Amino acid sequence: MPHIISPRRWSRGFAAGAIVVALGACSSILDVKNPNNVPESALENPASADAQANGALAAVVRMLSGITVPYAVATDELDWIGSRDAWFDLETGGLGNFLNEFTDGAFPHVGTARYLSDQTIRNLETFDKAGTLINRQSLAKAYLYGAVTYASIADMYDDYAFSSKTVPAAPVGRANMLKLYDTAIGYLDKALAIATASTDRYNLMAYRARVKHAKGVWGKISPEGSVNTASPLVNDAGAVADANAAIAIVDGDAKFNMVNNLEATAGINIWFEVNGRNEHRVGAAYTNLKDPISGATDPTTTASLAAFKAFGTQSGTHWVTSNRELRLILAEAALAAGNTAEFTTQINTVRALDGKPAYAAQIAAQQMLAYERQAQLWLMRRRLADMYRFGQTDPKWAANPNFKSASTTKGLLFPIPNIERLGNPCITNAAACK
Amino acid sequence: MRLLRSIMTGTARSALLASLVPFALAAQQATGAIEGTVVDGGSRRPLQSVQVTITGTSQTIGSLTDAAGKFRINNVAAGERVVRARLIGYAPLSKTVNVQPGGIARVSFEIRQSAVQLNAVVTTGTGGSQVEARKLGNTVAAIEAPTSAPTSSLSDILQGREPGLMTMPSSGATGEGARIRVRGNASLSQSNEPIVYIDGVRLDNGGGFGNGFVGTGGGGRPSRLDDIDPKSIEKVEVLKGAAAATLYGTEASNGVILITTKKGQLGAPKWSIDAEQAYTTYPTDRIAPQWGLARSDSQATRLSYHYGTPVKAFVPFSRAVATKLFETGMSRTVSGQVSGGTPLVTYFAALRAYNEDGPFTADNFNWQDRGVYMKDINNKYQGTVNLGISPSTNTKLQVNVLYATTHNEIPENNNSIYAPYTVALFSKPENAQCDASRVGGAADPTYGSLGNGLCKGAGNPTGASSFGTMRELLQYAIKQDSRHFNGRLRGSYIPSANLNFDGTFGVDFTAQRSTSFLPFGNNIDLRINRANAGLANVDDRTHQEVTLSVNGGWTKDLMKHFSSNLLFGAQGFLTRDNDESGSNQGFPGPGIEVVGGGSTPRVFESFSSIVNAGFFAQEQLGYRDWIFTTFGGRYDYNSAFGKTEGGVFYPQASLSVIPSDRPSWQGSFLGNYVSTFRLRAAIGRAGRQPGAFDKLTTYGPLTSTTGGGLVPANLGNPELKPEISTEWELGSEFGFADNAWSVDFTRWGRELKDALVARQFPVTGGFSALQLDNIGGMKAWGWDLKVKGYLLNRPDLSVDVYGNTSFLSQLVTSLGGAPPLKVGGSYPRYRNFIKEGYAPGAFFGAKLPDPCAKGQTTHPLGGICLQSGQLPFDTDKNGVPDTEAQLLAYLATARPLSAIPPLAADDNKNKDPLDHYDGKPLPDFQGSFGGSVTFRKNWRVSTNFEYRFGNYTVSNLTDAFRTASPSNGGNTKLRADVEATMLNPASTAEQRLAAAKTYVYELAALSPFDGLNQQFAADFLRWRELSLTYTAPQKWYSALGATDMAITFSARNFALWTKYPGVDPEVNVFGRSAGGGTDTNFGESIDAFGFPIPRRLALSVRMGF
């Protein structure tokens, strides 16, 4: 039978095939490009400065998205009604359970926000010194995002570690968490030296007031187990000055919010959890919060709940601070200083924003302050510290035989959770890392 | 049928042959034909589908026998020819005939059943290189599914056939594919699925719905492997590990599955038509109804009205909610095949249509006909065409084309809060209410109910758990349409009997489109808040595998007693995967069903490309045709390391010694008892490479309100290299009683070095994603045992049996200092861990304090133990377990279950109460047994049983919810009884104490006691297959022009025996995926609300023409 295709041609075909494979094995086809992400070296390009600042903002917002729900459930701001019963730990004040899946799940976003904020500030400062930073306002914003991160960590955690990539760091200890506020304030100082837009300057100044006040609050609830309920009020001159300065920049009902982008939502999304999944509902302490002066349902909370509901299930806004909070800081400082008139003025300025009747010593001033902070600062991550220092408890808080609970350990904040404990040998053996 | 046959034998064939006339003319020479029959040597029954081939020439021609055992081979070159008859399960037999030009030589075969198959030709190497099994030191498992076996997919074919090969469906969802494990887990982080080749072309072995926004909750994931028409498969071979699969190089450490499709045979076209009607049902008897209790008289009054039957406070009552989602499913299959050929062209073509509407239904919850859309549909249309072209005596081309189009609809299922079955399982009948339909508020005496368990309008008439009512949830529709093409062109050139070359180019291409849709206004009961203005998701995935291989073989006799068989070649493949997904919700109104119609769009896109290429060579030396040694290796490159990095070498060696093939064996003392005896050994390496981009430190996009941002993505590790899996095996085959019985034993061991561990570095370091590092190690060993025997083989009765079992032991030896990995991340309800010193995927969880040992007051590790009289409660929170007296005092008043939390043990006082070992997810032993009986000539019964036992643990999360959750579940009878006792003011303290004990020792589970009362022994025996086939007498079908006819009644998953308390010990929360990762690899044996495995009964008719 004659060959239709000659053996020689076949041989050549096989040889060609072999060569193709051989070449393929050695040539550039092995260099596959990754179009999904950018290499780290891209961050050295000054043109990436804005993108880095935007990334820091996204990371900070994602952090707030992740941690706000566990925090709110642990307080009386949200009540758990759903299926995932690890929430029950938090609902009963069991912040001390480092295994809790929700604090565990949120913590990586905290770690990323902190690391990225610092890295972004460092990179943009380098560009700035080299004169290659095109938009210095990006640096100002990066400072602000860093400040929000540091202050939020100090507000909510009893300890933290400043690791870098694969290099673990020892935890700083609760006593040193106060320094995180100092870092935040330092960032805000630098930012205010750069920022030009009034909105930015307002945000920075208002937040610096809030951080300085928070630092004072932290001192009232620390160390863990020795909350100073006898003298809970904070009177920090810096906070007062900054509050007044911020109000001077933008008066009225000004707010500093961070809008949550849907893509930057953490695994636990507070709007979906409450408005969609029905895992939680607004805390019973808030749904029918009665104004102690009028006895009527509190219009401030009613408006907040309506705004929260209107966000829907996908995304919403994180309320960071506002002139309302600043005036409450001023009121608190005045009350602590014995300046009842100023206290009353500030309280009533706040109350007037929602048409609530004026406070005129119908109840104790501290009670009025505590109430108004509860009504005005819903979901602003201030509630737990306020509950501790004002001696309030969530009726659902309960002692637990298996881990620490807010019901028995006042001043209890979130511990470094399991994901970090497992990945960072310095957490459980700090001495080995010093 | 006659018309079809006429067409094929007439017009079509004429046209085909006409086009090939020039070739045919060229091929003409002096030829004759060979005719004959093949019968069973014992029963003397004619044997169908026996391969009869001419051997000893460079031209391989042959034919298959028909139902009467007859064959005819045309165009056989004149002269003395050796004819060989071969059929799986029989010893091959050769005879010599003399073919005269133009004449017909006749030869008949009586072949004998043989349980030993050492002469079977198996596939090894790449490019389809084949060798007799006896020459290999490693095993190549041949999967043999009886033709009557109730299999409707490749997943079914693989299930329960081979020791060490486990196919694991995640649930009984219609159209779901199975995960596949060969000898357990060979990687800690990379895919644990074997790679799959079909006719030498790498196949997309993925599954699911892409990586975007479409999903079902876990199970019900279609497998692209099931796109293959099972009727088109000639054989499936499995290379179980590195010792056998070295030549497949990187990625072969989990084994290789080689699928060979049917090819045409010389001769007139032979048609085969199959039709099947099947029915599927879920095992409702294993699903307990939903129990609850009214907690007050007023609630009891309302429930009495609602259900129309009396309900009393604190008296548990039940309703069957979950099983109302079930119906009898139906499927129809029609398939046809034709094969035939000329010396120039052989052809095989097959078409198959499979339509299934599974056993899930939404109709029973469609009250007021508000519309439900969720279905379970599995439709497949599959076509296969294989052509073999022989343009000359020493060249051959093969063209194989497979095309499949599928349509699936899958209910949301498993661990999803929106899965109807899940919500139905966890329904609490006491929570039924129709408040939204009340007229006049609380004064409405009907409570908005119709009094028959339904609401007048909106409401939650079944007490569905938190997230939506049944008919709201049932409006969600999840669909997938896919097209799968696989094509191969293979050229073979055989310049001489000693030398051959092969080249294969193949493409496997998948395009799948998955969608999910929730209509506008779906909150018809004013309960669900998922996306009330509608939701649409879409995911388009395209996957491409390009395979190119060239190889040659050279055989030569060396000196007097030695033979050499050299295999060499190169092989590479290019994998590309593109995935784009979009999601949107918030439609402006009803009617819009596309992603573009919403108001909050989201997008997702990913791209992956892997290039792998390598060279290989293998030399096989034979001595006197009874000792064979093989050694070789593959040098591989992979794009994960870029072009600048070197490759990696995977060596192999094996030895096969067959004393029984020595001439002196027969007649020897041993030879009198042992017909066949072989010893073998093999060792080899293979690997798994990291992902395409794992070595890079990268930042990914994350949008902020001020613009696009960059955030840490991949931590990166430039030092990454492939992990190396070294496997050895020793084995032996024995044949007894003239090979009527066989025993095949293999002992194997595997060591994984430089294992890629997905390591969690400190998340405070900024990069939270797991990063691969070559720091791990894992060891495994086991054995496979196969026994097969032909008990009887008489004309009126023949019986054959088989049994196989495998043992598997795995141990994670090192994580290189990295922390343990947990399935599900921080989700505490999945309790599988990767921990040093334990089997991968081992369960850890909460437990109660142990009783104190004699003379001890604490646990030996330092934690609490229970002194005599103490119980695992600490109601006074003093750190000391309560005594019965304390509890009696505490329980003097009614208490909710939340008031008696268990006291969790922390034996080693490390403050982690969830770290107690609870068992492992893969069993020590796995296997199957069965056989077939042929009686009264025309009847045949075949059966298959599959089992798993020995430290086989399943995490029963389904019942953990049903016993422990206060809001979703908490609805078993025992739970209702206990809760009624605890809450009923009329209960005594003693009754409550007894209830509390029941609660803590049998019911308490879930956070923070995850794992408590949750992990159970799950040994099982399943009657997997049963078939009864009747071979019809000729009078039944002769009028149709048919040549044979068989009618089969079959059953699949016919019965289950197990002490496992859950619904099914085979279900698992994670469905099929070809990827790696902790969840995919080790998320095993988690019973989390999936559909149980259904029972399937079928009646089929097969006719040949």
Side-chain angles (χ1 to χ4, degrees):
Chain A
M1 181 180 289
H3 295 127
I4 305 301
I5 302 172
S6 75
R8 182 170 297 176
R9 289 179 63 192
W10 271 108
S11 300
R12 284 202 295 265
F14 284 119
I19 290 169
V20 167
V21 173
L23 289 175
C26 306
S27 74
S28 61
I29 69 167
L30 289 171
D31 261 351
V32 177
K33 303 298 182 192
N34 179 1
N36 306 298
N37 296 311
V38 300
E40 188 176 31
S41 58
L43 304 187
E44 298 167 9
N45 185 345
S48 70
D50 286 351
Q52 291 188 54
N54 293 339
L57 170 59
V60 172
V61 168
R62 188 170 59 182
M63 172 192 74
L64 297 178
S65 174
I67 194 60
T68 299
V69 196
Y71 184 90
V73 173
T75 70
D76 56 1
E77 293 176 302
L78 293 178
D79 288 347
W80 172 61
I81 54 170
S83 70
R84 301 180 71 173
D85 37 296
W87 290 116
F88 186 71
D89 299 356
L90 299 168
E91 182 84 321
T92 54
L95 289 87
N97 181 6
F98 65 83
L99 295 166
N100 186 281
E101 65 169 305
F102 300 111
T103 52
D104 203 51
F107 196 70
H109 303 304
V110 178
T112 299
R114 198 287 305 169
Y115 175 84
L116 188 62
S117 299
D118 281 344
Q119 177 183 260
T120 302
I121 289 169
R122 206 164 46 243
N123 287 350
L124 269 58
E125 282 178 340
T126 302
F127 298 149
D128 196 29
K129 286 176 184 170
T132 56
L133 183 62
I134 299 168
N135 177 12
R136 295 194 79 213
Q137 298 311 302
S138 290
L139 177 57
K141 289 177 178 172
Y143 283 132
L144 174 61
Y145 307 147
V148 172
T149 304
Y150 271 79
S152 297
I153 293 171
D155 285 345
M156 289 184 269
Y157 289 92
D158 69 1
D159 204 352
Y160 199 76
F162 291 86
S163 307
S164 178
K165 289 187 174 174
T166 61
V167 181
V172 298
R174 172 137 183 180
N176 291 313
M177 290 297 284
L178 194 67
K179 294 176 183 173
L180 272 66
Y181 290 115
D182 295 335
T183 302
I185 292 167
Y187 281 160
L188 294 166
D189 292 344
K190 291 180 179 180
L192 282 163
I194 299 173
T196 54
S198 61
T199 303
D200 291 344
R201 291 192 62 78
Y202 169 78
N203 290 346
L204 290 163
M205 192 63 78
Y207 197 69
R208 194 168 71 178
R210 184 225 187 274
V211 173
K212 289 176 178 175
H213 178 262
K215 183 179 174 184
V217 170
W218 187 91
K220 301 293 182 183
I221 64 168
S222 299
E224 174 186 295
S226 60
V227 173
N228 189 353
T229 52
S231 175
L233 301 180
V234 173
N235 180 10
D236 183 275
V240 169
D242 286 349
N244 281 317
I247 293 169
I249 296 171
V250 184
D251 201 358
D253 201 8
K255 293 181 172 63
F256 167 28
N257 295 333
M258 297 180 98
V259 177
N260 192 83
N261 183 282
L262 180 59
E263 301 302 329
T265 300
I268 297 297
N269 167 0
I270 190 169
W271 301 284
F272 173 71
E273 291 289 308
V274 179
N275 293 337
R277 182 184 162 103
N278 297 339
E279 187 74 27
H280 312 284
R281 64 185 173 205
V282 175
Y286 284 83
T287 48
N288 199 24
L289 189 65
K290 303 294 186 189
D291 184 79
I293 308 301
S294 69
T297 300
D298 191 289
T300 307
T301 306
T302 301
S304 298
L305 302 187
F308 183 86
K309 182 79 174 173
F311 289 138
T313 62
Q314 297 283 291
S315 196
T317 293
H318 293 293
W319 301 316
V320 181
T321 191
S322 64
N323 275 358
R324 294 174 185 236
E325 184 178 18
L326 299 183
R327 291 192 182 281
L328 292 174
I329 291 171
L330 295 173
E332 183 176 341
L335 184 61
N339 186 348
T340 308
E342 174 65 9
F343 168 79
T344 305
T345 299
Q346 294 297 348
I347 282 285
N348 283 335
T349 302
V350 174
R351 290 176 60 82
L353 291 170
D354 294 314
K356 290 191 271 191
Y359 167 72
Q362 296 94 328
I363 59 175
Q366 184 174 312
Q367 185 184 354
M368 185 72 252
L369 175 71
Y371 172 81
E372 210 57 53
R373 283 184 66 86
Q374 179 184 5
Q376 299 288 348
L377 306 182
W378 185 59
L379 298 184
M380 290 173 70
R381 296 161 296 278
R382 306 301 305 136
R383 181 65 182 151
L384 185 61
D386 280 356
M387 293 175 78
Y388 286 142
R389 65 183 176 128
F390 293 128
Q392 300 172 341
T393 59
D394 185 334
K396 295 183 296 305
W397 283 357
N400 190 301
N402 295 296
F403 45 78
K404 285 184 185 175
S405 166
S407 70
T408 52
T409 309
K410 301 303 178 189
L412 185 65
L413 297 175
F414 289 127
I416 293 175
N418 202 42
I419 189 170
E420 179 71 10
R421 293 168 65 93
L422 291 174
N424 184 345
C426 306
I427 301 299
T428 52
N429 187 12
C433 299
K434 287 178 178 172
Chain B
M1 194 63 243
R2 279 180 168 170
L3 178 60
L4 286 173
R5 189 178 176 194
S6 160
I7 290 171
M8 194 57 209
T9 54
T11 312
R13 191 173 66 161
S14 299
L16 179 63
L17 293 179
S19 67
L20 300 170
V21 160
F23 303 103
L25 290 175
Q28 278 185 351
Q29 63 176 44
T31 60
I34 300 175
E35 280 187 359
T37 57
V38 183
V39 299
D40 182 294
S43 66
R44 305 199 58 76
R45 284 192 303 273
L47 294 172
Q48 189 174 9
S49 301
V50 180
Q51 276 191 338
V52 186
T53 54
I54 309 297
T55 64
T57 67
S58 59
Q59 182 191 22
T60 302
I61 57 174
S63 178
L64 292 178
T65 57
D66 61 16
K70 295 178 181 176
F71 70 91
R72 179 186 172 99
I73 306 173
N74 293 319
N75 301 302
V76 180
E80 201 165 76
R81 298 288 171 238
V82 177
V83 187
R84 182 178 170 111
R86 192 168 60 197
L87 179 65
I88 291 175
Y90 286 81
L93 183 62
S94 297
K95 289 191 173 183
T96 302
V97 296
N98 199 335
V99 180
Q100 300 295 327
I104 300 175
R106 301 185 189 281
V107 60
S108 296
F109 291 90
E110 292 182 11
I111 58 176
R112 303 192 69 83
Q113 290 178 323
S114 174
V116 179
Q117 293 289 301
L118 290 184
N119 292 311
V121 174
V122 297
T123 307
T124 184
T126 63
S129 305
Q130 296 193 322
V131 68
E132 284 179 276
R134 69 193 188 99
K135 296 180 179 178
L136 293 171
N138 57 268
T139 49
V140 178
I143 305 292
E144 302 172 26
T147 53
S148 62
T151 57
S152 58
S153 66
L154 177 64
S155 297
D156 289 348
I157 289 176
L158 295 175
Q159 190 163 41
R161 314 281 176 205
E162 181 67 23
L165 171 66
M166 290 178 70
T167 54
M168 303 183 291
S170 84
S171 74
T174 299
E176 170 167 0
R179 290 162 295 133
I180 303 171
R181 293 289 180 272
V182 181
R183 290 180 176 168
N185 310 95
S187 178
L188 292 171
S189 60
Q190 304 304 292
S191 173
N192 276 212
E193 289 279 328
I195 51 177
V196 183
Y197 286 82
I198 182 166
D199 292 323
V201 177
R202 193 162 154 131
L203 192 66
D204 174 10
N205 65 347
F209 301 89
N211 298 313
F213 300 106
V214 182
T216 59
R221 297 166 67 90
S223 168
R224 294 279 66 88
L225 296 181
D226 290 339
D227 292 341
I228 302 167
D229 173 5
K231 296 285 186 184
S232 71
I233 294 174
E234 179 181 311
K235 62 178 178 179
V236 179
E237 294 163 313
V238 182
L239 310 179
K240 289 186 178 177
T246 295
L247 294 194
Y248 289 85
T250 302
E251 299 203 358
S253 55
N254 285 93
V256 183
I257 292 178
L258 303 165
I259 301 167
T260 303
T261 57
K262 293 175 180 172
K263 306 295 186 296
Q265 298 288 338
L266 282 175
K270 290 183 179 177
W271 291 84
S272 175
I273 304 292
D274 292 78
E276 181 191 83
Q277 176 76 40
Y279 300 89
T280 49
T281 55
Y282 286 127
T284 54
D285 55 317
R286 293 189 64 89
I287 301 170
Q290 284 61 48
W291 284 81
L293 73 153
R295 287 160 171 76
S296 65
D297 287 339
S298 61
Q299 187 184 18
T301 302
R302 182 175 61 78
L303 291 170
S304 297
Y305 185 88
H306 176 66
Y307 287 117
T309 57
V311 174
K312 294 182 178 178
F314 305 113
V315 177
F317 68 102
S318 69
R319 288 289 179 277
V321 182
T323 51
K324 285 180 69 178
L325 286 165
F326 298 162
E327 64 175 356
T328 299
M330 287 195 290
S331 69
R332 287 167 293 278
T333 313
V334 178
S335 66
Q337 301 177 34
V338 61
S339 106
T342 69
L344 184 62
V345 178
T346 57
Y347 56 86
F348 168 83
L351 285 174
R352 179 173 182 257
Y354 180 86
N355 299 92
E356 179 178 10
D357 181 352
F360 170 90
T361 181
D363 294 343
N364 293 332
F365 291 97
N366 191 16
W367 54 83
Q368 288 114 30
D369 295 321
R370 295 293 294 271
V372 290
Y373 303 95
M374 195 171 275
K375 296 176 181 175
D376 58 339
I377 301 290
N378 179 24
N379 293 337
K380 295 182 185 297
Y381 301 93
Q382 299 153 319
T384 307
V385 175
N386 291 341
L387 294 177
I389 305 169
S390 302
S392 71
T393 55
N394 52 10
T395 58
K396 191 169 185 179
L397 286 174
Q398 289 182 26
V399 180
N400 305 61
V401 176
L402 173 153
Y403 183 76
T405 176
T406 66
H407 174 79
N408 288 101
E409 296 188 34
I410 305 99
E412 186 150 25
N413 65 84
N414 251 305
N415 197 350
S416 164
I417 59 171
Y418 298 124
Y421 179 58
T422 303
V423 170
L425 272 176
F426 298 159
S427 293
K428 296 174 78 71
E430 72 267 35
N431 287 346
Q433 49 82 11
C434 304
D435 293 348
S437 295
R438 275 183 141 174
V439 178
D444 182 353
T446 70
Y447 309 96
S449 172
L450 291 172
N452 59 356
L454 296 176
C455 298
K456 293 175 180 174
N460 180 16
T462 65
S465 56
S466 301
F467 308 103
T469 65
M470 293 304 296
R471 64 177 180 177
E472 286 176 336
L473 299 165
L474 287 163
Q475 294 187 66
Y476 196 47
I478 303 169
K479 302 178 182 180
Q480 182 180 89
D481 290 280
S482 76
R483 288 159 290 152
H484 195 161
F485 169 85
N486 183 285
R488 176 185 79 150
L489 177 63
R490 180 186 183 196
S492 303
Y493 172 52
I494 309 172
S496 70
N498 297 336
L499 188 62
N500 67 80
F501 295 96
D502 275 306
T504 296
F505 172 74
V507 176
D508 188 82
F509 182 79
T510 303
Q512 72 181 39
R513 177 179 172 82
S514 310
T515 62
S516 53
F517 171 68
L518 191 58
F520 179 90
N522 54 76
N523 57 331
I524 50 182
D525 288 315
L526 309 176
R527 184 170 176 81
I528 196 169
N529 281 317
R530 184 176 197 177
N532 296 343
L535 165 70
N537 298 319
V538 62
D539 185 288
D540 281 333
R541 170 182 178 259
T542 56
H543 186 91
Q544 176 183 294
E545 303 266 7
V546 178
T547 303
L548 179 62
S549 71
V550 291
N551 60 276
W554 181 41
T555 59
K556 186 173 176 60
D557 290 336
L558 306 172
M559 298 178 284
K560 188 177 179 180
H561 300 301
F562 289 90
S563 63
S564 163
N565 187 341
L566 176 66
L567 174 69
F568 53 90
Q571 189 230 24
F573 58 85
L574 168 64
T575 303
R576 288 197 174 186
D577 193 282
N578 288 63
D579 202 338
E580 298 103 29
S581 187
S583 174
N584 211 339
Q585 52 183 277
F587 301 138
I592 295 177
E593 300 184 5
V594 296
V595 171
S599 56
T600 52
R602 303 174 72 184
V603 294
F604 165 85
E605 181 183 2
S606 74
F607 168 82
S608 166
S609 179
I610 299 170
V611 180
N612 192 93
F615 307 92
F616 59 88
Q618 174 185 285
E619 167 64 17
Q620 187 172 80
L621 281 175
Y623 174 71
R624 288 182 180 267
D625 207 30
W626 67 278
I627 297 177
F628 301 91
T629 179
T630 305
F631 50 90
R634 173 165 172 146
Y635 196 83
D636 240 6
Y637 298 89
N638 193 283
S639 58
F641 314 107
K643 67 177 180 181
T644 57
E645 299 293 327
V648 58
F649 181 62
Y650 302 109
Q652 75 162 162
S654 76
L655 176 69
S656 173
V657 181
I658 316 161
S660 62
D661 277 2
R662 296 183 67 186
S664 59
W665 181 266
Q666 302 302 325
S668 67
F669 175 77
L670 277 177
N672 291 333
Y673 299 95
V674 182
S675 316
T676 298
F677 173 43
R678 178 168 85 124
L679 292 167
R680 53 186 161 75
I683 186 168
R685 281 184 170 173
R688 281 281 183 184
Q689 88 288 353
F693 311 124
D694 285 337
K695 68 175 180 178
L696 306 171
T697 302
T698 60
Y699 281 69
L702 190 64
T703 306
S704 75
T705 52
T706 55
L710 291 169
V711 296
N714 193 48
L715 186 50
N717 180 357
E719 305 299 320
L720 284 181
K721 56 188 177 182
E723 58 187 16
I724 301 296
S725 191
T726 304
E727 186 172 294
W728 58 264
E729 61 176 53
L730 297 171
S732 185
E733 285 103 345
F734 298 88
F736 304 100
D738 200 17
N739 290 328
W741 284 89
S742 72
V743 176
D744 182 338
F745 179 79
T746 301
R747 170 77 158 81
W748 61 271
R750 181 177 61 226
E751 181 165 13
L752 175 66
K753 287 187 174 177
D754 295 331
L756 290 160
V757 173
R759 181 174 189 170
Q760 181 67 69
F761 285 97
V763 295
T764 52
F767 288 73
S768 56
L770 302 177
Q771 173 58 46
L772 292 181
D773 210 348
N774 291 97
I775 54 175
M778 182 162 59
K779 285 185 177 177
W781 68 274
W783 46 259
D784 302 338
L785 174 65
K786 294 193 274 190
V787 178
K788 188 172 184 180
Y790 296 101
L791 291 179
L792 281 174
N793 192 20
R794 300 197 306 245
D796 60 337
L797 180 65
S798 62
V799 180
D800 61 81
V801 296
Y802 66 88
N804 62 58
T805 191
S806 66
F807 174 81
L808 172 68
S809 173
Q810 301 188 102
L811 186 72
V812 178
T813 55
S814 173
L815 290 178
L821 292 163
K822 180 185 167 303
V823 167
S826 58
Y827 185 69
R829 292 166 178 165
Y830 301 157
R831 303 308 308 164
N832 309 71
F833 283 78
I834 315 297
K835 276 190 180 181
E836 286 182 8
Y838 293 92
F843 294 109
F844 291 84
K847 57 170 273 197
L848 301 174
D850 295 326
C852 295
K854 191 174 181 181
Q856 292 183 334
T857 56
T858 62
H859 189 278
L861 296 175
I864 290 175
C865 62
L866 299 179
Q867 304 281 359
S868 177
Q870 290 181 332
L871 290 167
F873 298 99
D874 184 16
T875 54
D876 55 5
K877 313 295 188 298
N878 64 355
V880 179
D882 294 345
T883 63
E884 284 207 8
Q886 283 177 299
L887 276 168
L888 280 172
Y890 183 71
L891 297 174
T893 58
R895 303 274 186 182
L897 294 177
S898 61
I900 50 169
L903 182 61
D906 182 14
D907 287 346
N908 57 6
K909 293 188 74 174
N910 68 346
K911 300 180 182 177
D912 183 356
L914 303 182
D915 62 353
H916 301 96
Y917 178 69
D918 260 351
K920 63 188 182 69
L922 293 184
D924 292 341
F925 298 94
Q926 164 262 335
S928 62
F929 62 87
S932 60
V933 177
T934 305
F935 58 100
R936 300 186 67 173
K937 293 187 178 179
N938 290 352
W939 293 90
R940 182 179 176 88
V941 177
S942 294
T943 191
N944 171 283
F945 293 81
E946 189 176 359
Y947 59 84
R948 296 178 197 166
F949 69 93
N951 296 306
Y952 179 41
T953 306
V954 169
S955 186
N956 186 359
L957 189 53
T958 303
D959 285 335
F961 268 87
R962 296 200 61 187
T963 60
S965 174
S967 56
N968 293 273
N971 63 2
T972 63
K973 184 176 189 308
L974 190 58
R975 158 80 184 211
D977 289 342
V978 165
E979 197 159 23
T981 303
M982 291 295 292
L983 295 175
N984 192 342
S987 299
T988 64
E990 287 75 13
Q991 288 172 322
R992 291 196 189 100
L993 177 61
K997 288 180 181 177
T998 302
Y999 172 67
V1000 75
Y1001 288 115
E1002 298 184 47
L1003 303 178
L1006 303 177
S1007 298
F1009 312 108
D1010 297 284
L1012 184 62
N1013 297 314
Q1014 186 174 324
Q1015 268 75 252
F1016 296 94
D1019 302 349
F1020 73 84
L1021 170 65
R1022 181 159 238 147
W1023 196 347
R1024 184 71 76 189
E1025 295 175 353
L1026 171 66
S1027 65
L1028 173 63
T1029 300
Y1030 177 67
T1031 303
Q1034 188 175 10
K1035 61 183 180 184
W1036 284 31
Y1037 52 78
S1038 58
L1040 301 170
T1043 57
D1044 60 280
M1045 179 180 183
I1047 301 168
T1048 298
F1049 165 78
S1050 63
R1052 185 167 188 83
N1053 303 318
F1054 192 54
L1056 171 69
W1057 295 271
T1058 181
K1059 290 183 179 177
Y1060 176 65
V1063 64
D1064 197 311
E1066 283 196 275
V1067 298
N1068 187 54
V1069 70
F1070 294 107
R1072 181 179 173 78
S1073 170
T1078 304
D1079 290 359
T1080 301
N1081 287 343
F1082 303 108
E1084 298 291 2
S1085 299
I1086 306 169
D1087 175 352
F1089 341 136
F1091 292 112
I1093 309 294
R1095 179 184 294 130
R1096 184 172 189 269
L1097 304 175
L1099 184 65
S1100 64
V1101 178
R1102 177 190 168 281
M1103 298 179 72
F1105 296 88

